[in-house]
Amino acid sequence: PVAAFANLRAATKDGGRLAMVCWQAMIENEWLFVPGAAVMEIVPLPDLGPPDGPGMFALADADRVTGLLTKAGWSDVTLTSMRTPMLIGGGGTMEDTLEFLRTGAIGRTMMQNADEATKERALEALRAALTPFLVAEGVKMSSAAWVVQANA
C-alpha cells in the first residue's frame, strides 16, 4: 500500500491533493455487521485474512491510513467520519436484498461449504435480522466510511 500511494503522490503535482472514501470497520457498518452476525449463527465465519490485508476493510483503521499516506509522502492527512443510512443493494424488496447479500463476495464466501438445507436456514436467519430495517424503499441500514484527504 505504501508503494501504491507513493506512486499516486509521484504523479500528483506539488500543491495537489488526494481525496478518497474507504470503509470504517465492519462493526461500524450495520449493513454488513447485522447480516454477518445473523449468518454466523448458522455457518462458521471463514478466514477473512489479517485485518490489514487486502479487502474492503484494509483501510478501516484511521491510524493505519494516516501512517501509510505519510510514509508515501503525503502531508496534512485528515480523516472525517461519514455516517449515512443506505439501501442495501440499492433498494427493492426483501427478496432483492437477500439476493444481493447472498450473491455478494462475503455471502458467497460464507455459504461456499454449506449444504442446501444450511443455506436455507442461514437465509431465514438473515431475513429475520433484516426485517426490522425494512422500509418502503427497501432494507435501510447505517454505514460508516472515512473521507480521507491529503496534500501533495
Side-chain angles (χ1 to χ4, degrees), residues 23-113:
W23 292 115
Q24 290 185 28
M26 179 185 247
I27 197 165
E28 300 296 327
N29 280 280
E30 184 178 62
W31 75 276
L32 280 172
F33 184 75
V34 170
V39 173
M40 279 180 13
E41 291 182 18
I42 309 299
V43 297
L45 182 65
D47 179 17
L48 300 176
D52 60 349
M56 66 188 289
F57 297 109
L59 301 176
D61 182 275
D63 292 335
R64 179 169 189 258
V65 173
T66 300
L68 290 171
L69 291 175
T70 301
K71 286 178 189 171
W74 295 92
S75 62
D76 303 319
V77 178
T78 61
L79 283 84
T80 305
S81 181
M82 179 179 72
R83 295 178 179 270
T84 187
M86 60 184 268
L87 291 168
I88 311 309
T93 67
M94 174 64 79
E95 295 310 310
D96 294 333
T97 301
L98 292 171
E99 184 67 7
F100 172 79
L101 293 171
R102 184 187 66 75
T103 60
I106 293 174
R108 286 192 324 267
T109 300
M110 289 186 77
M111 303 273 204
Q112 68 186 351
N113 296 320

